[in-house]
Amino acid sequence: MNGSGGSRRGHGSDGRHGDSQGRAMPSGRAESEMGEPRHGGAGQDGRHALNDAPAPDPAAAPAPADAPDPAPAPADAPDPAPETRTPPGLPDVGLTAADASSVDLLLAVAVRVRAEVDSAGEARALAAFRAAREQGPRAARTRRRDDWRPNPRRRVQRSVRTTLAVLLSSLTLGGVAFAAIGSATRDDDAGPGRGERDGRTGTSRGAPAAPGPSGTQGAGSTTGDRPASARDTEAHCRAYEEKAEGRGRALDATAWRRLADAAGGTQKVAAYCAARLGDADDAGDREQGAGESAGKQDGTVRSTGPDAGRRPDGAGAAAGSATGKPDWAGEPTAQGTPDQTDRQGRTDQGDQADQGSRADQGGRAEQPKGADGSGRVDGADRTPDTK
Amino acid sequence: MQAFDGELGVAVARAQEGDEAAFAVAYRLVQPGLLGYLRGIVGDDAEDVASDAWLEIARDLGRFKGDGAGFRGWTATIARHRALDHLRRQKVRPRATALENDLLELPGVHDTHDQALESLSTTQALALVARLPRDQAEAVLLRVVVGLDGPAAARVLGKRPGAVRTATHRGLKRLAQLLRTEGVTEDGARTLGESG
């Protein structure tokens, strides 16, 4: 059967075979040959290659002169057009000239594959088609993997995914904002605006979105640095205030002890904290007025939790983003505290989009700023108090 | 992307209506690429795997939605699944065993580029492709032989487009390298070819 197949090829298709090889790879885009596909038979084995090799050689020698045109195809298949050397679809792969030889090789593969009549395979396929057609037009639903429509569907999917990702990240940051707002402006000497915000932050701290980020903050903060004792003490004071007002978490033992040491006695803690926070808030106001980054740093400075002072980084990221988002992430806060929150909101409005879409980068970018800024703020304004 | 995607799309649409001749046209447009791809994966059993694939293609033709290029990607996916099933059944039969003998016939180094390619048989060429890592071989075959574009090839393979691009690039480079190095064979090989 191989022999007969070879001889059959020797008639017409072999000439075509030779033709296609004569011009071969450079000019012929594989599928454009449209020639007969390789004969599908059970007898395919390595010996088939031997039939291949000798046949094209004698055919190729006389053939090239006869092969100026693209390969003639069966009458019922469309005629191909000669194409350029590099397949049009592969420029994105960035081939060098040397690699084009491999492309040529593969095109040659495809070319030869087409060079034979695949009548048996085609008959089988047609029989399968008829059989499937007989089964009647059942309501075949298009599964996802059957949907190969061009781009619009995929674009929609991608945009949906992107939208979801942006939404999720902004919700996460909003939750962190809730967590951070609570301690961001804790002060019993504060003006009415602040007081309202305290009230709201107290409730917002209980927001379900807060526990996650707060938990991570708290967990991470225990291993934080403690160079700025002034910042620590102030944060401890805030936590103490919260505890005293019955809203915040209980001050843990270490922080409480430190606070007591700084104040000079457990009884003096209340008075000490009142004095400290009064100064701190004034300094914080000035910082906020200075600019958005300062505003974020202020948020950093007033970060939440008993251990927040040791964690300017994470809290800076959280509060920095948090103070930027009180408008639409924390509605109650925004309404009640027009001056402070709005100012922060406005200053940070410009960064909303950035923060939303680059939350991580923004957070990370905030960290060094927060740390440095807090250090600066503390050093400039609070050192005199603690020293 | 390819020259006859328009005709293919029309043929597929008509075949979905029940036009048998249109199905034949679609078969002729698609089968060569599928066969070349399958040869690179399963070697000699490509025709059998292709038959299985066409059974499924004919059966599920009504489910398909898309244009000519999409049809190529869809059929390539089906063919690939059948090929992987086949490989699993065969328990990792080495692809190249039947093909290695033909490597002795590779052209000598002083053959010209075109002559070298001419005297290469399909099987030899695919033997070279078979020596690529599987992911590179598949990427290269899908891109060049089947004629899918980057995103379609990525979808068939189930990988990210960037990974497919890398695999294609590396596969082609390695194939070119194999061509260069394999060209340096004994003259006896060429004698065999000439006398055949």
Side-chain angles (χ1 to χ4, degrees), chain A residues 9 16 20 44 63 122 170 173 231 241 249 254 263 265 298 331 335 355 362 373:
Chain A
R9 281 198 305 281
R16 283 193 284 261
S20 58
Q44 294 287 328
E122 183 172 337
S170 51
L173 289 171
R231 210 167 43 229
E241 294 295 332
R249 294 193 293 262
T254 317
D298 184 74
E331 291 291 332
Q335 290 159 11
Q355 285 179 349

Side-chain angles (χ1 to χ4, degrees), chain A residues 31 38 50 76 89 93-94 99 102 106 109 112 118 121-122 124 130 133 141-142 144 146-148, chain B residues 2 18 20 27-28 31-32 39 51 63 65 74 105 117 120 122 125 140 143-144 155 169 172-173:
Chain A
E31 79 293 351
R38 177 182 278 270
L50 292 177
D76 47 350
V93 178
D99 301 334
S102 55
L106 291 164
V109 167
R112 288 191 188 81
D118 185 12
E122 183 172 337
R124 274 198 300 268
R130 278 190 289 266
R133 195 177 52 183
R141 77 184 194 290
T142 300
R144 180 170 171 174
D146 300 313
D147 189 349
W148 281 77
Chain B
Q2 283 197 28
E20 187 173 321
Y27 178 87
R28 292 207 189 104
Q31 169 72 341
R39 280 205 197 285
S51 298
R63 297 181 191 258
K65 262 204 186 77
W74 185 65
E105 296 180 21
L117 286 176
L120 272 178
T122 310
V140 155
R143 288 303 309 272
V144 181
R155 183 172 170 183
H169 188 100
L172 287 172
K173 286 184 86 70

Side-chain angles (χ1 to χ4, degrees), chain A residues 21-22 25-26 29-32 34-35 37-41 44-46 49-50 52-54 56-57 60 76-81 83 85 87-90 92-96 98-99 101-110 112-114 118 121-122 124-126 128-130 132-133 138 140-150 153-154, chain B residues 1-4 7 15 18-20 23-25 27-29 31-33 35-36 39 44 47 51 54-56 58-67 69-74 77 81 98 102 105 113-114 117-123 125-126 128-129 140-141 143-145 147 150-152 155-156 165 168-169 172-173 175-176 179-180 193 196:
Chain A
Q21 285 175 20
M25 338 307 94
R29 177 84 177 96
E31 79 293 351
S32 65
M34 274 325 110
R38 177 182 278 270
H39 172 58
Q44 294 287 328
D45 56 13
L50 292 177
D52 256 352
D57 285 341
D76 47 350
D79 275 341
E83 302 228 11
R85 185 181 182 88
L90 282 179
D92 65 332
V93 178
L95 291 179
T96 67
D99 301 334
S101 64
S102 55
V103 174
D104 295 343
L105 168 69
L106 291 164
L107 292 177
V109 167
R112 288 191 188 81
V113 161
R114 283 168 175 76
D118 185 12
E122 183 172 337
R124 274 198 300 268
L126 280 171
F129 173 77
R130 278 190 289 266
R133 195 177 52 183
R138 59 169 199 255
R141 77 184 194 290
T142 300
R143 299 161 295 193
R144 180 170 171 174
R145 57 174 159 144
D146 300 313
D147 189 349
W148 281 77
R149 282 171 296 189
R153 176 193 70 92
R154 266 183 253 149
Chain B
M1 204 208 102
Q2 283 197 28
F4 298 103
E7 285 88 341
D19 186 345
E20 187 173 321
F23 186 78
V25 170
Y27 178 87
R28 292 207 189 104
L29 287 172
Q31 169 72 341
L35 260 191
R39 280 205 197 285
D44 289 339
E47 281 85 3
S51 298
W54 277 104
L55 282 179
E56 185 174 337
R59 195 187 68 219
D60 287 343
L61 192 62
R63 297 181 191 258
F64 169 73
K65 262 204 186 77
D67 59 357
F71 188 70
R72 289 193 202 274
W74 185 65
T77 307
H81 290 155
D102 307 319
E105 296 180 21
H113 179 74
D114 284 348
L117 286 176
E118 283 168 12
S119 57
L120 272 178
S121 73
T122 310
T123 325
L126 281 163
L128 287 183
V129 174
V140 155
L141 289 168
R143 288 303 309 272
V144 181
V145 173
R155 183 172 170 183
V156 171
R165 198 163 42 244
T168 308
H169 188 100
L172 287 172
K173 286 184 86 70
L175 204 52
L179 271 178
R180 282 194 296 272

Side-chain angles (χ1 to χ4, degrees), chain A residues 198-217:
Chain A
D198 283 349
R200 230 170 316 278
T201 54
T203 52
S204 67
R205 293 191 87 226
S214 312
T216 40
Q217 281 184 29

Side-chain angles (χ1 to χ4, degrees), chain A residues 170-171 173-178 181 321-322 324-334 352:
Chain A
S170 51
L171 280 175
L173 289 171
V176 167
F178 274 127
I181 285 174
S321 312
K325 293 185 190 290
D327 291 342
W328 48 270
E331 291 291 332
T333 313
Q352 287 292 349

Side-chain angles (χ1 to χ4, degrees), chain A residues 257-329:
Chain A
R257 244 181 290 115
R258 230 174 273 127
L259 197 56
D261 291 340
T266 55
Q267 284 75 21
K268 298 193 191 144
V269 169
Y272 174 76
C273 278
R276 290 280 340 268
L277 294 183
D279 294 330
D281 273 338
D282 292 340
D285 271 345
R286 288 197 292 278
E287 285 303 315
Q288 278 185 358
E292 62 185 34
S293 54
K296 293 195 185 76
Q297 291 157 11
D298 184 74
T300 304
V301 165
R302 303 159 188 275
S303 6
T304 181
D307 303 320
R310 285 192 292 265
R311 265 227 64 191
D313 304 342
S321 312
T323 53
K325 293 185 190 290
D327 291 342
W328 48 270

